[in-house]
Amino acid sequence: MAVPKHIFDPPFSVVRCSHAVLRVRDLGAARAFYADTIGLKVEHADDGALYLRGMEERNHHSLVLKKGMEPVAERLGFKVASEEDLDRAHAFFKERQLPAAFVEVPFQGRTLHAADSQGNPLELTFKMDQAERILQQYGHYRGCHPQRIDHFNYFARDVQATIEFYAALGFRLTEYAESDEAEPKIAAAWMHRKGSVHDIAFTNGGGPRLHHIGYWVPTALHIINLCDLMASTGYLANMERGPGRHGISNAFFLYVRDPDGHRTEFYTSDYLTVDPDFEPIRWSLRDPRRQTLWGTPAPRSWFEEGALYPGTPVLPPVHDLKPIVAD
Ligand SMILES: [Fe+2]
């Protein structure tokens, strides 16, 4: 693939991925899962929604669960660097004839709803209500001690085009997987703004769909403890993949499915990517260490299942690529 040249002065400045908005059918079941088992802190709850955050997060929420008829993904949220960046973002999306409109959102300042070139619905904001600092209030800690939202992973029907769209916004490619043909086809890519391996990743597949959101946890032992907890509290079938160590990103991981099927990854110990001369790392699609360094392939569900966006049709991928799948 053509590795994009990094743009140091993008048209508007995204700081990091900041929050996801998902719809769930049963808020009580969602609360039992995300708060009582995973350990996210409930910052606000009402009849229509739950607002959750990790232990180190000072912003009001990093996950919004809205009660809905269908378990769809509503928005992927990003924090921008200033109010002026919101206006620059509005102009950027309008110029490209992509959706862009300012909306009112609870607990957030001025908020821009937009969509990327693939149709993923985005939500950009600069200000969010600030919450009490609980990082060192260990009495609040539950589950796997989730610290902060780390990334989103989407199914993209055209991974190369998606890379190019986000590269133009200053997202930087860190790792990618491609086929070994004379003219390689890109299968997946990881890009960041905040200086870790990624804020966003794209996996080749029918899209647009949300594949998963990722939360950072303090250590691998917190993930192993979550496995023990889920296996003994009725959530055995919700553990989809792992625990293990990724080849890509080097992170220790576990993927779980919530009661509505939304997928979350618990993730720790990737690496720093802030050097201006950072060179992206290439992986062969056929290298078994890519998905899991120890060689265990991901299940078929991991490649095929993802959350739809409301009113957004899913189209097949441009390239039919064949990753290694466990059967
Ligand atoms: Fe991930």
Side-chain angles (χ1 to χ4, degrees):
M1 67 163 282
V3 172
K5 186 173 167 54
H6 182 52
I7 294 177
F8 287 93
D9 56 346
F12 62 93
S13 180
V14 174
V15 175
R16 60 180 175 87
C17 77
S18 58
H19 61 286
V21 184
L22 309 178
R23 290 187 198 162
V24 299
R25 290 168 292 195
D26 182 338
L27 282 174
R31 184 173 184 141
F33 182 79
Y34 284 102
D36 303 343
T37 306
I38 300 305
L40 289 170
K41 181 169 187 306
V42 177
E43 196 59 30
H44 179 85
D46 56 40
D47 291 344
L50 271 177
Y51 293 79
L52 301 143
R53 64 174 167 126
M55 296 298 108
E56 74 171 70
E57 290 178 317
R58 303 291 302 280
N59 286 265
H60 181 271
H61 51 264
S62 56
L63 179 59
V64 182
L65 303 174
K66 290 186 181 175
K67 183 170 170 49
M69 300 294 284
E70 299 295 334
V72 293
E74 198 171 290
R75 294 272 160 191
L76 306 173
F78 292 87
K79 183 183 273 285
V80 298
S82 70
E83 291 291 348
E84 293 72 28
D85 282 300
L86 284 177
D87 295 318
R88 287 190 276 266
H90 182 259
F92 174 90
F93 288 101
K94 281 286 186 194
E95 276 168 23
R96 283 154 188 79
Q97 299 180 326
L98 293 168
F102 284 103
V103 295
E104 297 282 331
V105 174
F107 311 110
Q108 294 177 195
R110 215 157 54 105
T111 299
L112 179 66
H113 278 182
D116 69 16
S117 61
Q118 299 290 303
N120 292 287
L122 309 178
E123 178 169 294
L124 280 61
T125 190
F126 169 55
K127 282 189 180 154
M128 192 181 277
D129 287 3
Q130 296 296 289
E132 182 188 10
R133 181 175 181 268
I134 56 168
L135 176 63
Q136 291 168 315
Q137 294 185 29
Y138 286 97
H140 285 291
Y141 281 58
R142 300 282 182 277
C144 63
H145 299 191
Q147 296 285 317
R148 61 180 181 270
I149 197 163
D150 186 80
H151 62 266
F152 306 129
N153 188 310
Y154 334 145
F155 278 115
R157 55 186 305 267
D158 186 340
V159 176
Q160 182 72 48
T162 312
I163 291 171
E164 287 164 11
F165 178 84
Y166 281 97
L169 298 183
F171 284 77
R172 188 164 203 172
L173 185 70
T174 56
E175 304 202 28
Y176 61 98
E178 65 180 7
S179 62
D180 294 323
E181 304 154 83
E183 289 190 21
K185 295 186 180 61
I186 180 96
W190 285 254
M191 301 182 88
H192 81 89
R193 283 292 296 168
K194 69 180 178 296
S196 63
V197 168
H198 60 322
D199 288 281
I200 48 176
F202 324 118
T203 300
N204 186 67
R209 288 178 297 161
L210 177 63
H211 190 278
H212 66 265
I213 62 173
Y215 269 90
W216 175 270
V217 300
T219 70
L221 277 177
H222 290 89
I223 289 176
I224 291 170
N225 184 56
L226 180 64
C227 294
D228 289 335
L229 183 62
M230 289 182 67
S232 57
T233 56
Y235 292 112
L236 180 65
N238 298 69
M239 293 193 287
E240 184 184 32
R241 179 184 168 200
R245 183 177 298 282
H246 285 308
I248 288 180
S249 82
N250 190 54
F252 198 88
F253 70 89
L254 172 72
Y255 293 94
V256 305
R257 307 291 290 270
D258 79 2
D260 280 285
H262 293 299
R263 184 184 287 110
T264 302
E265 178 182 21
F266 300 99
Y267 175 100
T268 189
S269 48
D270 61 352
Y271 58 89
L272 194 67
T273 58
V274 293
D275 280 3
D277 53 354
F278 181 94
E279 291 292 336
I281 299 160
R282 178 196 181 271
W283 291 81
S284 163
L285 187 58
R286 303 307 297 174
D287 185 340
R289 299 168 301 172
R290 174 184 87 84
Q291 301 174 7
T292 307
L293 189 66
W294 311 329
T296 314
R300 186 164 295 282
S301 62
W302 200 88
F303 292 101
E304 295 181 352
E305 297 175 11
L308 303 173
Y309 300 116
T312 307
V314 172
L315 298 172
V318 172
H319 301 297
D320 184 22
L321 296 168
K322 298 273 186 264
I324 301 171
V325 181
D327 277 312

